[in-house]
Amino acid sequence: QRVQFEMWDSDEPVPRLELLKKVKGCDGILCVLTEKIDAQLLEAAGPNLKVVSTMSVGFDHLSLDELKKRGIRVGYTPDVLTDCVAELTVALLLATSRRLIEATHEAKTGGWGTWRTLWLCGHELANSTVGILGLGRIGVAIAERLKPFKVKKFIYTDVAPRPELANMIEAEYVSFDELAKQSDFLAVCCALTQETHGICNWNLFSKMKKNAIFINTSRGGVVNQEDLYEALSTGLIAGAGLDVTTPEPLPTHHPLFTLKNCVILPHIASASYTTRNAMSALAANNLLAGLRGEPMPKELKL
Ligand SMILES: O=C(O)[C@H](O)CO
């Protein structure tokens, strides 16, 4: 069975109005996370639409209720990006805790004087407690990579204990408050949902240690950025590394960019050639299987 397709051949997102026109009558849509797949778009596509395949593990850009209501199947790309995202999370964590961006800046711009005892000191992983907010495949992969740095203890919280995953990394289930209180490093790995929206706010930051490093490679929406700014600029916590923000791109005049103790990356956690190739192949295969009415390699159960 042949499939006719039209491709948006640009790195820029499809302008919304153009997308709304182009989806009319389509049987399937392959999208990335910049496309909002909501009621308006589904209406514009019309009744032929059977499958939406997103080239991402996150699915907060999809209105799942609307898709379910219309019986539209959804494909996504978990697993193939886990190693890549975990690797970047570790890189971001170390860049933040060991102040690498500040350090290269100082070296390049004349701030490098004589060797000084406390200059550019950071916080080390050895003997630390690492907390994971939302334990899934990616959280486990991060912990596996951090373990050789001699982390003392892994703790996590989630809506309920996840013993199978937790056992893989000997992580202890704790309450949200305990996660805040005990973590020297806190990695956010949860999906963005109604429940997790803004969950990293003053309530969390005010309970964290002064030496704590906060890392987010999930979605910007889980963080209240005003509260994070306050926490970072008043020394309530030591630093933050963010691969995701609200909005994206984060405007260059955003206050978070003024902080030395905040490292901001432009949503690149899955950006390796190998992983992006694997994600696109999986997204294409999900789409084709969905169109043929066959089981998808990775289908999101609605
Ligand atoms: O959801 C995802 O897949 C990431 O944010 C981009 O790879």
Side-chain angles (χ1 to χ4, degrees):
Q1 211 179 347
R2 295 183 71 83
V3 173
Q4 259 190 354
F5 67 93
E6 189 175 347
M7 189 167 92
W8 180 252
D9 196 9
S10 160
D11 253 359
E12 295 301 317
V14 199
R16 180 76 179 176
L17 283 179
E18 194 146 347
L19 181 65
L20 290 174
K21 267 190 238 151
K22 284 193 188 293
V23 293
K24 194 171 166 15
C26 285
D27 298 287
I29 297 172
L30 194 158
C31 67
V32 296
L33 49 82
T34 45
E35 275 72 62
K36 278 233 157 319
I37 308 295
D38 54 9
Q40 183 195 34
L41 185 126
L42 298 177
E43 282 309 308
N48 284 357
L49 191 64
K50 292 172 199 55
V51 48
V52 170
S53 168
T54 181
M55 187 184 137
S56 61
V57 67
F59 42 81
D60 47 288
H61 54 301
L62 313 178
S63 301
L64 299 184
D65 288 350
E66 298 293 338
L67 286 152
K68 189 174 175 176
K69 208 160 76 185
R70 293 168 173 81
I72 297 168
R73 294 170 66 193
V74 174
Y76 71 139
T77 62
D79 302 328
V80 291
L81 47 59
T82 301
D83 287 335
C84 192
V85 171
E87 182 176 289
L88 187 283
T89 307
V90 172
L92 178 58
L93 184 148
L94 289 170
T96 309
S97 59
R98 299 303 304 272
R99 303 171 61 181
L100 301 189
I101 311 302
E102 261 184 279
T104 57
H105 179 76
E106 292 294 327
K108 262 200 276 193
T109 57
W112 186 0
T114 49
W115 188 92
R116 278 166 282 167
T117 338
L118 290 178
W119 189 51
L120 284 172
C121 282
H123 300 280
E124 63 186 61
L125 274 163
N127 263 315
S128 68
T129 296
V130 172
I132 299 167
L133 177 54
L135 187 67
R137 301 162 289 249
I138 293 176
V140 168
I142 292 169
E144 283 170 345
R145 283 159 178 76
L146 291 180
K147 204 177 163 64
F149 286 90
K150 298 191 176 174
V151 168
K152 186 175 69 195
K153 191 174 168 191
F154 290 102
I155 55 178
Y156 75 103
T157 200
D158 210 309
V159 279
R162 307 196 66 182
E164 266 164 45
L165 289 173
N167 288 344
M168 293 167 72
I169 51 167
E170 294 172 73
E172 182 191 329
Y173 184 73
V174 295
S175 67
F176 186 77
D177 277 12
E178 281 304 314
L179 191 83
K181 283 186 201 153
Q182 291 186 32
S183 299
D184 297 302
F185 297 86
L186 179 53
V188 182
C189 301
C190 59
L192 174 61
T193 62
Q194 272 172 5
E195 290 73 38
T196 62
H197 188 265
I199 196 172
C200 301
N201 54 24
W202 193 252
N203 175 46
L204 174 86
F205 301 131
S206 61
K207 294 187 179 106
M208 286 172 72
K209 297 181 180 178
K210 265 176 100 73
N211 64 285
I213 301 287
F214 174 83
I215 302 295
N216 184 13
T217 49
S218 73
R219 284 291 182 270
V222 300
V223 177
N224 179 316
Q225 289 177 174
E226 286 73 41
D227 290 357
L228 178 62
Y229 176 83
E230 214 42 44
L232 288 169
S233 58
T234 58
L236 196 61
I237 65 171
L242 312 173
D243 182 47
V244 285
T245 57
T246 318
E248 291 181 5
L250 192 66
T252 51
H253 60 266
H254 194 281
L256 283 173
F257 276 124
T258 64
L259 299 175
K260 283 187 178 173
N261 57 349
C262 188
V263 176
I264 299 176
L265 301 179
H267 203 149
I268 55 163
S270 68
S272 79
Y273 293 109
T274 308
T275 290
R276 288 286 164 83
N277 277 331
M279 288 166 73
S280 53
L282 178 53
N285 284 325
N286 281 338
L287 179 76
L288 291 174
L291 290 173
R292 293 188 193 115
E294 292 168 1
M296 288 185 195
K298 294 288 173 187
E299 180 161 0
L300 190 65
K301 295 283 166 248
L302 298 183

